[in-house]
Amino acid sequence: VQLQACGGGLVQAGGSLSIACAASGSSYAMGWFRQAPGKEREFVARIGWTFDTTYYSDSVKGRFTITRDNAKNTGYLQMNSLKPEDTAVYYCAAQTRAYYGGAVYATNERFYTYWGQGTLVTVSS
């Protein structure tokens, strides 16, 4: 599975941005993670390709929405009400099997097999 993320850019605080991740090959679920300068990579959101079960980190819940287009094999992350602390490189990742245990497996990057190259999102204050 190859993943290609795109759509990052510069946006003012309070603004919106949508990033996308095109996948070649099949996978079970797609997740978004982000890494801010000087910080560890953290989970953002995750959606299954077959079922609509979604997970969000507390820091983005209510502001970000993860969706997918099965026909295009592409996942999206719509980011609204952006804050300067949302500035990071955003990575998409794929899970290639089902994990039965809910958020424990959905939010941990160890359970993602393939990773995209990342796209930079910068939110100015």
Side-chain angles (χ1 to χ4, degrees):
V1 178
Q2 290 185 328
L3 303 170
Q4 181 72 38
C6 64
L10 176 63
V11 62
Q12 288 188 334
S16 299
L17 193 67
S18 180
I19 55 178
C21 181
S24 63
S26 62
S27 61
Y28 183 78
M30 176 178 286
W32 286 97
F33 292 76
R34 67 186 183 185
Q35 187 168 21
K39 295 188 177 181
E40 294 186 351
R41 188 159 58 188
E42 64 175 1
F43 170 77
V44 176
R46 181 264 198 191
I47 188 168
W49 284 109
T50 303
F51 303 102
D52 284 335
T53 304
T54 57
Y55 297 90
Y56 295 94
S57 67
D58 289 342
S59 61
V60 307
K61 196 173 297 181
R63 300 188 297 121
F64 290 11
T65 302
I66 187 172
T67 58
R68 52 164 170 71
D69 184 331
N70 287 43
K72 295 182 179 180
N73 218 20
T74 299
Y76 303 92
L77 186 68
Q78 175 67 41
M79 303 179 288
N80 299 327
S81 301
L82 282 161
K83 305 174 181 179
E85 52 263 43
D86 294 317
T87 295
V89 176
Y90 284 71
Y91 298 91
C92 55
Q95 285 183 322
T96 55
R97 51 158 288 192
Y99 293 96
Y100 300 99
V104 171
Y105 299 100
T107 62
N108 191 322
E109 65 174 67
R110 293 184 300 167
F111 298 100
Y112 289 79
T113 306
Y114 298 99
W115 292 81
Q117 85 287 0
T119 186
L120 177 62
V121 173
T122 304
V123 184
S124 62
S125 57

